């Protein structure tokens, strides 16, 4: 593809067909859709460093595939802050040029990894994980359609689309008497993931009562997927206390 030619949606779908097939195989083998998207986005990001997982996916049987999904999921848990276990990624290490990936990389460079995976989820991931577009592409390639559909012929130019704050927010709760200051929550994510939070809001209370809930507004929607990673409710340790996080919906106590 010439450098001065803008790729079409069809070109991008074709270029990432192996990644889409990997996503489909993960889901067919029982992997949660959000976990599958995160895993594929992580593997695509690792391929930028020559860890050739996606391009060899077609040669993996389902057993190897699920081992790969488990290793990717372990990395996602590490990125979220669950580092109470030793990160073992032997399969991914074998796919690296040097035959080894230092697990410490995912601890000391969390911001780099998270930002890279989020770029893919918020960018080309919109096409990679769109089953409808791939069905349309298959119909065109097999001759079931005459002309190329406008959706496929359209030029692919990624533009960041503003996402409402409600769609970039998470609802947080605390155990009674165990609230965490907003500054500590903000700094926790900033120290681990870099500049990822807009602000943290807390329940308005009276008479000095501590808040029981709050809201985190992230800069990008993809960060929510990386926090939850397929779960409805997760907890994160901040110091010696925990906060519980779930997706935010506008009806949630008007935070």
């Amino acid at each position: 593809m010439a450098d001065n030619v803008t790729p079409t949606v069809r070109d991008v779908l074709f270029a990432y067909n192996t990644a889409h097939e990997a996503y489909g195989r993960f889901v067919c083998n029982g992997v949660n859709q959000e976990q599958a998207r995160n895993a594929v986005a992580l593997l695509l990001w690792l391929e930028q460093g020559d860890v050739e997982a996606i391009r060899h996916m077609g040669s993996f049987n389902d057993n190897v595939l699920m081992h790969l999904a488990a290793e990717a999921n372990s990395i996602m848990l590490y990125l979220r802050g669950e580092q109470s276990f030793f990160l073992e990624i032997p399969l991914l290490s074998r796919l690296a040029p040097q035959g080894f990936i230092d697990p410490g990389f995912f601890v000391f460079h969390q911001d780099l990894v998270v930002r890279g995976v989020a770029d893919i989820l918020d960018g080309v991931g919109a096409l990679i994980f769109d089953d409808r577009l791939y069905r349309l592409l298959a119909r065109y390639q097999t001759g079931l359609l005459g002309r190329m559909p406008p959706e496929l012929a359209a030029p692919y130019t990624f533009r960041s689309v503003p996402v409402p704050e409600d769609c970039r927010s998470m609802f947080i709760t605390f155990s009674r008497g165990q609230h965490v200051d907003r500054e500590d929550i903000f700094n926790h994510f900033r120290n681990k993931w870099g500049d990822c939070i807009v602000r943290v809001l807390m329940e308005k209370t009276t008479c000095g009562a501590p808040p029981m809930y709050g809201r985190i507004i992230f800069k990008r929607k993809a960060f929510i997927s990386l926090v939850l990673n397929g779960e409805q409710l997760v907890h994160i340790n901040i110091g010696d206390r925990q906060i519980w996080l779930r997706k935010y919906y506008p009806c949630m106590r008007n935070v």
Side-chain angles (χ1 to χ4, degrees):
M1 191 182 302
D3 291 340
N4 60 345
V5 176
T6 300
T8 64
V9 169
R10 176 207 171 273
D11 294 331
V12 176
L13 292 173
F14 187 78
Y16 286 95
N17 184 62
T18 304
H20 177 74
E21 290 179 349
Y23 166 70
R25 288 186 66 193
F26 280 143
V27 173
C28 286
N29 279 274
V31 178
N32 173 282
Q33 287 188 352
E34 187 169 67
Q35 284 185 353
R37 288 192 293 268
N38 290 346
V40 170
L42 173 65
L43 296 176
L44 282 171
W45 183 81
L46 287 172
E47 286 214 338
Q48 297 174 16
D50 295 327
V51 180
E52 299 181 347
I54 292 292
R55 70 185 65 183
H56 292 306
M57 196 71 76
S59 64
F60 296 156
N61 61 36
D62 286 348
N63 185 49
V64 174
L65 187 82
M66 294 309 290
H67 276 291
L68 192 61
E71 290 187 14
N73 188 58
S74 294
I75 292 173
M76 298 311 302
L77 293 178
Y78 240 58
L79 294 175
R80 193 168 71 193
E82 296 185 26
Q83 296 164 10
S84 60
F85 60 92
F86 181 71
L87 181 61
E88 296 183 88
I89 46 175
L91 181 54
L92 279 171
S93 287
R94 288 194 206 105
L95 297 171
Q98 67 275 26
F100 175 72
I101 300 176
D102 182 2
F105 174 84
F106 298 102
V107 177
F108 298 110
H109 300 284
Q110 290 184 49
D111 57 336
L112 178 67
V113 182
V114 166
R115 187 167 59 250
V117 175
D119 283 344
I120 292 171
L121 289 173
D122 281 340
V124 73
L127 298 187
I128 295 173
F129 307 122
D130 191 325
D131 291 332
R132 185 189 62 82
L133 278 179
Y134 271 96
R135 286 194 296 268
L136 187 63
L137 176 64
R139 292 181 65 198
Y140 170 70
Q141 289 181 320
T142 54
L144 293 177
L145 302 176
R147 290 184 174 183
M148 184 185 297
E151 280 185 276
L152 300 182
Y156 174 75
T157 52
F158 172 71
R159 293 186 179 89
S160 181
V161 178
V163 177
E165 284 191 348
D166 286 350
C167 298
R168 294 182 277 114
S169 296
M170 299 197 76
F171 186 68
I172 56 176
T173 55
F174 315 109
S175 299
R176 186 172 298 278
Q178 298 290 316
H179 84 280
V180 180
D181 291 339
R182 76 176 72 210
E183 292 80 9
D184 291 336
I185 297 172
F186 188 93
N187 290 333
H188 172 84
F189 281 98
R190 183 178 61 182
N191 292 338
K192 287 180 174 293
W193 288 9
D195 186 20
C196 64
I197 287 183
V198 177
R199 61 185 177 276
V200 179
L201 305 176
M202 292 291 193
E203 174 195 16
K204 293 180 174 62
T205 62
T206 59
C207 302
M212 292 296 294
Y213 59 86
R215 174 183 175 188
I216 299 176
I217 303 172
F218 286 98
K219 291 196 169 183
R220 301 168 65 171
K221 186 178 180 180
F223 290 131
I224 296 176
S225 295
L226 298 180
V227 171
L228 292 175
N229 194 38
E231 299 181 61
Q232 297 294 316
L233 177 69
V234 300
H235 73 270
I236 290 178
N237 294 320
I238 299 180
D240 59 352
R241 299 188 176 187
Q242 290 182 340
I243 64 172
W244 295 84
L245 305 95
R246 68 183 70 185
K247 284 184 179 179
Y248 173 83
Y249 299 99
C251 61
M252 284 183 160
R253 307 188 190 185
N254 299 317
V255 180

